Amino acid sequence: MSDMKIAVMGAAGRMGRALVRAVNEMDGCVVAGGIEPGGSPTVGQDVGALAGIGELGVLVSDDALELCTKVDGILDFTTPASSVEFASLAANARIVHVIGTTGFSSKDEAAIAAAGRHATIVKAGNMSLGVNLLSAITQQVANALDEEFDIEIIEMHHRHKVDAPSGTALMLGEAAAEGRGISLAERSIRVRDGHTGERTRGDIGFQSLRGGSVVGDHTVIFAGEGECIELTHRAGDRSIFARGAVKAALWGRGKSPGVFSMKDVLGL
């Protein structure tokens, strides 16, 4: 089989550049395009040069519709509105769409699910192997410990992150809720301020910290009477997410349409 032709949406951003480097380094795929919004000064520039790996002869475009007809898959760590648009284009082109974007609304999720009837979509709040293992372990621990153990999820990211809690924190919350057999939407606590009263038994709490250049730290705390269990993952470099995204794209090639997760990709 020929190398998979992969395009990077938001190719000039920090994550986009990391994705270009990961595609270029990995066997079985080639960088076949990059997208930036119309009017961006990076349109027309070489994606390899932008990523710091030298010219690849592939230029940044602002025409996602045309590009999707020429590639086998797209990597997308952009914005919810853009990702929904790209999902529709991927569905029309019947290609693989890897989504690492976070902060989706319920309406966005429904649109992506609809696109999954025709596109092979791999969507995850975090693409790293370590975080997905943490998610699986969190579910197991939550299942093993009853509500005598309170669950708190703490996440910290760089000052530029715009959504909170992070997609990874929510993924870990969903894993904990699934382990407990409860609904995260009904039992999550996102904000505490003022006189809150005692903690409600069985709730899952979130704390979001922002500052500096932190790539992503996540800790799940199981706090019981007289003992505390902490499960932590710290990301030191965006390349771990980029490599996972490329592996997801390669895994999705030839798969039937649907919306999958990194747990599917990793066999977890």
Side-chain angles (χ1 to χ4, degrees), residues 17-42:
R17 295 194 298 270
L19 289 166
V20 169
R21 291 191 291 269
V23 174
N24 187 63
E25 293 168 359
M26 200 165 294
D27 293 335
C29 56
V30 295
V31 180
I35 289 292
E36 279 292 319
S40 168
T42 60

PDB file of all heavy atoms in Angstrom, residues 17-42:
ATOM      1  N   ARG A  17       2.470  22.627  13.754  1.00  0.00           N
ATOM      2  CA  ARG A  17       3.879  22.401  13.386  1.00  0.00           C
ATOM      3  C   ARG A  17       4.380  21.071  13.950  1.00  0.00           C
ATOM      4  O   ARG A  17       5.125  20.338  13.288  1.00  0.00           O
ATOM      5  CB  ARG A  17       4.737  23.560  13.876  1.00  0.00           C
ATOM      6  CG  ARG A  17       4.407  24.886  13.198  1.00  0.00           C
ATOM      7  CD  ARG A  17       5.482  25.932  13.449  1.00  0.00           C
ATOM      8  NE  ARG A  17       5.643  26.263  14.854  1.00  0.00           N
ATOM      9  CZ  ARG A  17       4.984  27.225  15.482  1.00  0.00           C
ATOM     10  NH1 ARG A  17       4.089  27.944  14.825  1.00  0.00           N
ATOM     11  NH2 ARG A  17       5.210  27.470  16.769  1.00  0.00           N
ATOM     12  N   ALA A  18       3.947  20.752  15.172  1.00  0.00           N
ATOM     13  CA  ALA A  18       4.340  19.468  15.763  1.00  0.00           C
ATOM     14  C   ALA A  18       3.763  18.305  14.963  1.00  0.00           C
ATOM     15  O   ALA A  18       4.414  17.269  14.783  1.00  0.00           O
ATOM     16  CB  ALA A  18       3.872  19.397  17.219  1.00  0.00           C
ATOM     17  N   LEU A  19       2.536  18.466  14.477  1.00  0.00           N
ATOM     18  CA  LEU A  19       1.909  17.421  13.671  1.00  0.00           C
ATOM     19  C   LEU A  19       2.641  17.230  12.348  1.00  0.00           C
ATOM     20  O   LEU A  19       2.848  16.090  11.896  1.00  0.00           O
ATOM     21  CB  LEU A  19       0.440  17.774  13.416  1.00  0.00           C
ATOM     22  CG  LEU A  19      -0.490  17.672  14.626  1.00  0.00           C
ATOM     23  CD1 LEU A  19      -1.811  18.377  14.338  1.00  0.00           C
ATOM     24  CD2 LEU A  19      -0.734  16.217  15.008  1.00  0.00           C
ATOM     25  N   VAL A  20       3.034  18.323  11.712  1.00  0.00           N
ATOM     26  CA  VAL A  20       3.790  18.220  10.458  1.00  0.00           C
ATOM     27  C   VAL A  20       5.079  17.448  10.690  1.00  0.00           C
ATOM     28  O   VAL A  20       5.441  16.546   9.911  1.00  0.00           O
ATOM     29  CB  VAL A  20       4.089  19.623   9.887  1.00  0.00           C
ATOM     30  CG1 VAL A  20       5.093  19.533   8.729  1.00  0.00           C
ATOM     31  CG2 VAL A  20       2.802  20.290   9.405  1.00  0.00           C
ATOM     32  N   ARG A  21       5.772  17.772  11.768  1.00  0.00           N
ATOM     33  CA  ARG A  21       7.024  17.060  12.069  1.00  0.00           C
ATOM     34  C   ARG A  21       6.771  15.581  12.311  1.00  0.00           C
ATOM     35  O   ARG A  21       7.537  14.718  11.856  1.00  0.00           O
ATOM     36  CB  ARG A  21       7.708  17.694  13.283  1.00  0.00           C
ATOM     37  CG  ARG A  21       8.262  19.095  13.027  1.00  0.00           C
ATOM     38  CD  ARG A  21       9.160  19.564  14.163  1.00  0.00           C
ATOM     39  NE  ARG A  21       8.408  19.823  15.388  1.00  0.00           N
ATOM     40  CZ  ARG A  21       7.890  20.991  15.727  1.00  0.00           C
ATOM     41  NH1 ARG A  21       8.003  22.033  14.917  1.00  0.00           N
ATOM     42  NH2 ARG A  21       7.259  21.155  16.879  1.00  0.00           N
ATOM     43  N   ALA A  22       5.687  15.254  13.031  1.00  0.00           N
ATOM     44  CA  ALA A  22       5.393  13.851  13.344  1.00  0.00           C
ATOM     45  C   ALA A  22       5.047  13.058  12.092  1.00  0.00           C
ATOM     46  O   ALA A  22       5.495  11.916  11.928  1.00  0.00           O
ATOM     47  CB  ALA A  22       4.241  13.773  14.346  1.00  0.00           C
ATOM     48  N   VAL A  23       4.252  13.643  11.210  1.00  0.00           N
ATOM     49  CA  VAL A  23       3.911  12.957   9.950  1.00  0.00           C
ATOM     50  C   VAL A  23       5.172  12.713   9.137  1.00  0.00           C
ATOM     51  O   VAL A  23       5.381  11.631   8.568  1.00  0.00           O
ATOM     52  CB  VAL A  23       2.890  13.779   9.128  1.00  0.00           C
ATOM     53  CG1 VAL A  23       2.657  13.119   7.770  1.00  0.00           C
ATOM     54  CG2 VAL A  23       1.575  13.916   9.877  1.00  0.00           C
ATOM     55  N   ASN A  24       6.026  13.720   9.076  1.00  0.00           N
ATOM     56  CA  ASN A  24       7.253  13.609   8.278  1.00  0.00           C
ATOM     57  C   ASN A  24       8.192  12.544   8.815  1.00  0.00           C
ATOM     58  O   ASN A  24       8.916  11.897   8.047  1.00  0.00           O
ATOM     59  CB  ASN A  24       7.961  14.966   8.252  1.00  0.00           C
ATOM     60  CG  ASN A  24       9.146  14.996   7.319  1.00  0.00           C
ATOM     61  OD1 ASN A  24       8.996  14.826   6.110  1.00  0.00           O
ATOM     62  ND2 ASN A  24      10.325  15.223   7.861  1.00  0.00           N
ATOM     63  N   GLU A  25       8.180  12.349  10.138  1.00  0.00           N
ATOM     64  CA  GLU A  25       9.101  11.396  10.764  1.00  0.00           C
ATOM     65  C   GLU A  25       8.601   9.967  10.752  1.00  0.00           C
ATOM     66  O   GLU A  25       9.397   9.025  10.871  1.00  0.00           O
ATOM     67  CB  GLU A  25       9.354  11.817  12.217  1.00  0.00           C
ATOM     68  CG  GLU A  25      10.105  13.123  12.367  1.00  0.00           C
ATOM     69  CD  GLU A  25      10.082  13.654  13.795  1.00  0.00           C
ATOM     70  OE1 GLU A  25       9.452  12.981  14.653  1.00  0.00           O
ATOM     71  OE2 GLU A  25      10.672  14.712  14.050  1.00  0.00           O
ATOM     72  N   MET A  26       7.285   9.770  10.625  1.00  0.00           N
ATOM     73  CA  MET A  26       6.719   8.439  10.799  1.00  0.00           C
ATOM     74  C   MET A  26       6.624   7.676   9.484  1.00  0.00           C
ATOM     75  O   MET A  26       6.283   8.244   8.445  1.00  0.00           O
ATOM     76  CB  MET A  26       5.332   8.531  11.456  1.00  0.00           C
ATOM     77  CG  MET A  26       4.887   7.230  12.097  1.00  0.00           C
ATOM     78  SD  MET A  26       3.482   7.455  13.228  1.00  0.00           S
ATOM     79  CE  MET A  26       4.212   8.437  14.530  1.00  0.00           C
ATOM     80  N   ASP A  27       6.929   6.389   9.526  1.00  0.00           N
ATOM     81  CA  ASP A  27       6.822   5.539   8.338  1.00  0.00           C
ATOM     82  C   ASP A  27       5.355   5.334   7.960  1.00  0.00           C
ATOM     83  O   ASP A  27       4.474   5.291   8.824  1.00  0.00           O
ATOM     84  CB  ASP A  27       7.464   4.174   8.605  1.00  0.00           C
ATOM     85  CG  ASP A  27       8.967   4.262   8.791  1.00  0.00           C
ATOM     86  OD1 ASP A  27       9.582   5.224   8.264  1.00  0.00           O
ATOM     87  OD2 ASP A  27       9.537   3.373   9.465  1.00  0.00           O
ATOM     88  N   GLY A  28       5.099   5.208   6.676  1.00  0.00           N
ATOM     89  CA  GLY A  28       3.769   4.876   6.191  1.00  0.00           C
ATOM     90  C   GLY A  28       2.900   6.060   5.840  1.00  0.00           C
ATOM     91  O   GLY A  28       1.735   5.886   5.481  1.00  0.00           O
ATOM     92  N   CYS A  29       3.444   7.282   5.958  1.00  0.00           N
ATOM     93  CA  CYS A  29       2.642   8.457   5.648  1.00  0.00           C
ATOM     94  C   CYS A  29       3.529   9.596   5.159  1.00  0.00           C
ATOM     95  O   CYS A  29       4.735   9.606   5.387  1.00  0.00           O
ATOM     96  CB  CYS A  29       1.828   8.901   6.853  1.00  0.00           C
ATOM     97  SG  CYS A  29       2.810   9.225   8.336  1.00  0.00           S
ATOM     98  N   VAL A  30       2.913  10.546   4.483  1.00  0.00           N
ATOM     99  CA  VAL A  30       3.626  11.720   3.992  1.00  0.00           C
ATOM    100  C   VAL A  30       2.777  12.962   4.241  1.00  0.00           C
ATOM    101  O   VAL A  30       1.549  12.888   4.300  1.00  0.00           O
ATOM    102  CB  VAL A  30       3.947  11.624   2.489  1.00  0.00           C
ATOM    103  CG1 VAL A  30       4.917  10.497   2.208  1.00  0.00           C
ATOM    104  CG2 VAL A  30       2.676  11.456   1.674  1.00  0.00           C
ATOM    105  N   VAL A  31       3.449  14.097   4.415  1.00  0.00           N
ATOM    106  CA  VAL A  31       2.746  15.373   4.536  1.00  0.00           C
ATOM    107  C   VAL A  31       2.255  15.770   3.152  1.00  0.00           C
ATOM    108  O   VAL A  31       3.047  15.944   2.229  1.00  0.00           O
ATOM    109  CB  VAL A  31       3.667  16.470   5.105  1.00  0.00           C
ATOM    110  CG1 VAL A  31       2.898  17.785   5.212  1.00  0.00           C
ATOM    111  CG2 VAL A  31       4.236  16.059   6.456  1.00  0.00           C
ATOM    112  N   ALA A  32       0.943  15.896   3.020  1.00  0.00           N
ATOM    113  CA  ALA A  32       0.353  16.168   1.703  1.00  0.00           C
ATOM    114  C   ALA A  32      -0.376  17.498   1.642  1.00  0.00           C
ATOM    115  O   ALA A  32      -0.960  17.835   0.619  1.00  0.00           O
ATOM    116  CB  ALA A  32      -0.607  15.038   1.323  1.00  0.00           C
ATOM    117  N   GLY A  33      -0.350  18.266   2.738  1.00  0.00           N
ATOM    118  CA  GLY A  33      -1.026  19.553   2.704  1.00  0.00           C
ATOM    119  C   GLY A  33      -1.132  20.166   4.073  1.00  0.00           C
ATOM    120  O   GLY A  33      -0.919  19.502   5.104  1.00  0.00           O
ATOM    121  N   GLY A  34      -1.457  21.432   4.080  1.00  0.00           N
ATOM    122  CA  GLY A  34      -1.685  22.155   5.318  1.00  0.00           C
ATOM    123  C   GLY A  34      -2.711  23.242   5.086  1.00  0.00           C
ATOM    124  O   GLY A  34      -2.796  23.793   3.975  1.00  0.00           O
ATOM    125  N   ILE A  35      -3.505  23.529   6.090  1.00  0.00           N
ATOM    126  CA  ILE A  35      -4.582  24.523   5.965  1.00  0.00           C
ATOM    127  C   ILE A  35      -4.427  25.610   7.023  1.00  0.00           C
ATOM    128  O   ILE A  35      -4.130  25.324   8.188  1.00  0.00           O
ATOM    129  CB  ILE A  35      -5.967  23.851   6.113  1.00  0.00           C
ATOM    130  CG1 ILE A  35      -6.287  23.002   4.888  1.00  0.00           C
ATOM    131  CG2 ILE A  35      -7.069  24.888   6.342  1.00  0.00           C
ATOM    132  CD1 ILE A  35      -6.509  23.792   3.614  1.00  0.00           C
ATOM    133  N   GLU A  36      -4.633  26.853   6.581  1.00  0.00           N
ATOM    134  CA  GLU A  36      -4.756  28.002   7.469  1.00  0.00           C
ATOM    135  C   GLU A  36      -5.900  28.862   6.931  1.00  0.00           C
ATOM    136  O   GLU A  36      -6.238  28.784   5.745  1.00  0.00           O
ATOM    137  CB  GLU A  36      -3.459  28.817   7.516  1.00  0.00           C
ATOM    138  CG  GLU A  36      -2.390  28.249   8.438  1.00  0.00           C
ATOM    139  CD  GLU A  36      -2.781  28.340   9.903  1.00  0.00           C
ATOM    140  OE1 GLU A  36      -3.342  29.370  10.315  1.00  0.00           O
ATOM    141  OE2 GLU A  36      -2.522  27.366  10.648  1.00  0.00           O
ATOM    142  N   PRO A  37      -6.527  29.673   7.775  1.00  0.00           N
ATOM    143  CA  PRO A  37      -7.643  30.493   7.307  1.00  0.00           C
ATOM    144  C   PRO A  37      -7.215  31.487   6.222  1.00  0.00           C
ATOM    145  O   PRO A  37      -6.062  31.909   6.164  1.00  0.00           O
ATOM    146  CB  PRO A  37      -8.083  31.246   8.569  1.00  0.00           C
ATOM    147  CG  PRO A  37      -7.534  30.460   9.708  1.00  0.00           C
ATOM    148  CD  PRO A  37      -6.268  29.847   9.218  1.00  0.00           C
ATOM    149  N   GLY A  38      -8.157  31.834   5.355  1.00  0.00           N
ATOM    150  CA  GLY A  38      -7.889  32.828   4.333  1.00  0.00           C
ATOM    151  C   GLY A  38      -7.433  34.136   4.951  1.00  0.00           C
ATOM    152  O   GLY A  38      -7.951  34.564   5.984  1.00  0.00           O
ATOM    153  N   GLY A  39      -6.441  34.745   4.354  1.00  0.00           N
ATOM    154  CA  GLY A  39      -5.902  35.984   4.896  1.00  0.00           C
ATOM    155  C   GLY A  39      -4.714  35.781   5.808  1.00  0.00           C
ATOM    156  O   GLY A  39      -4.036  36.747   6.165  1.00  0.00           O
ATOM    157  N   SER A  40      -4.440  34.541   6.201  1.00  0.00           N
ATOM    158  CA  SER A  40      -3.282  34.287   7.058  1.00  0.00           C
ATOM    159  C   SER A  40      -2.006  34.535   6.255  1.00  0.00           C
ATOM    160  O   SER A  40      -1.894  34.126   5.095  1.00  0.00           O
ATOM    161  CB  SER A  40      -3.292  32.842   7.559  1.00  0.00           C
ATOM    162  OG  SER A  40      -2.048  32.514   8.158  1.00  0.00           O
ATOM    163  N   PRO A  41      -1.007  35.180   6.848  1.00  0.00           N
ATOM    164  CA  PRO A  41       0.244  35.416   6.128  1.00  0.00           C
ATOM    165  C   PRO A  41       1.016  34.147   5.817  1.00  0.00           C
ATOM    166  O   PRO A  41       1.965  34.174   5.026  1.00  0.00           O
ATOM    167  CB  PRO A  41       1.035  36.316   7.099  1.00  0.00           C
ATOM    168  CG  PRO A  41       0.457  36.041   8.450  1.00  0.00           C
ATOM    169  CD  PRO A  41      -1.000  35.774   8.199  1.00  0.00           C
ATOM    170  N   THR A  42       0.614  33.028   6.420  1.00  0.00           N
ATOM    171  CA  THR A  42       1.320  31.766   6.175  1.00  0.00           C
ATOM    172  C   THR A  42       0.792  31.028   4.950  1.00  0.00           C
ATOM    173  O   THR A  42       1.421  30.072   4.503  1.00  0.00           O
ATOM    174  CB  THR A  42       1.208  30.838   7.394  1.00  0.00           C
ATOM    175  OG1 THR A  42      -0.176  30.556   7.649  1.00  0.00           O
ATOM    176  CG2 THR A  42       1.820  31.473   8.623  1.00  0.00           C
TER     177      THR A  42
END
